[in-house]
Amino acid sequence: IQGSNNQLPELAHLVVGLEAPKFVDETDFVACCVMNTLMGGGGSFSAGGPGKGMYSRLYLNVLNKYHFMFSATAFHQAYKDSGLFCIHASSPPEYLEEMCHVICQELLKMAGPCNEVNIFCISRFFNVLLIGFISKKNPSKQKIHIDPS
């Protein structure tokens, strides 16, 4: 709704998309999943409670450093025949050129070495995978044998 009563900010949106591995390419697929976790992101006021994604590169290097960024989020979609890795970002229209530069620089930095924060993100990613794997098992259907001795 346009007009003087509109409380939503006018934003420019940018999406940088790259072809990603298909899910049947296990090694490349897992590497892309890790990259997605490292890039992470969110909004300047992300939902989901405190700490969600706060150690990701997009959060630390983009949302915390550039006042004009409203959101920066990485996402990865994998299919049988191809995949897609994207970063979606938004800012006021007058910052569109600077937003493009910031997002592209952050993508280029992914080719560099990992630091302690990146290693922390990777370990969290694998912990989440492990918890997901464990929670899929239904303990009520498993037989538990207790040795009385």
Side-chain angles (χ1 to χ4, degrees):
I1 301 172
Q2 296 294 325
S4 61
N5 292 334
N6 187 4
Q7 299 296 316
L8 297 175
E10 183 180 339
L11 297 175
H13 296 271
L14 167 73
V15 177
V16 178
L18 306 167
E19 186 175 11
K22 49 191 170 189
F23 69 81
V24 293
D25 296 337
E26 293 175 9
T27 304
D28 292 336
F29 171 74
V30 171
C32 198
C33 289
V34 171
M35 185 173 81
N36 184 50
T37 300
L38 283 175
M39 292 300 279
S44 55
F45 298 101
S46 290
K52 182 181 176 191
M54 289 183 67
Y55 295 104
S56 70
R57 286 186 174 207
L58 289 175
Y59 201 97
L60 290 173
N61 301 340
V62 176
L63 294 171
N64 282 345
K65 291 185 179 179
Y66 298 96
H67 71 281
F68 56 87
M69 295 294 298
F70 272 65
S71 69
T73 306
F75 58 94
H76 172 227
Q77 299 291 320
Y79 303 99
K80 187 177 180 180
D81 56 348
S82 188
L84 183 65
F85 178 81
C86 293
I87 295 179
H88 171 262
S90 62
S91 73
E94 60 269 22
Y95 292 101
L96 180 59
E97 187 174 337
E98 193 169 352
M99 176 174 56
C100 291
H101 177 74
V102 167
I103 295 301
C104 289
Q105 286 299 314
E106 206 53 43
L107 273 171
L108 290 173
K109 288 179 190 175
M110 284 302 293
C114 282
N115 59 28
E116 289 180 24
V117 172
N118 298 141
I119 293 168
F120 176 76
C121 284
I122 292 169
S123 68
R124 284 184 56 209
F125 172 73
F126 285 111
N127 284 337
V128 168
L129 285 179
L130 181 61
I131 290 168
F133 176 75
I134 292 170
S135 68
K136 286 183 181 178
K137 293 185 176 187
N138 188 344
S140 64
K141 293 183 179 179
Q142 295 177 1
K143 293 182 181 179
I144 301 173
H145 299 285
I146 301 174
D147 187 358
S149 54

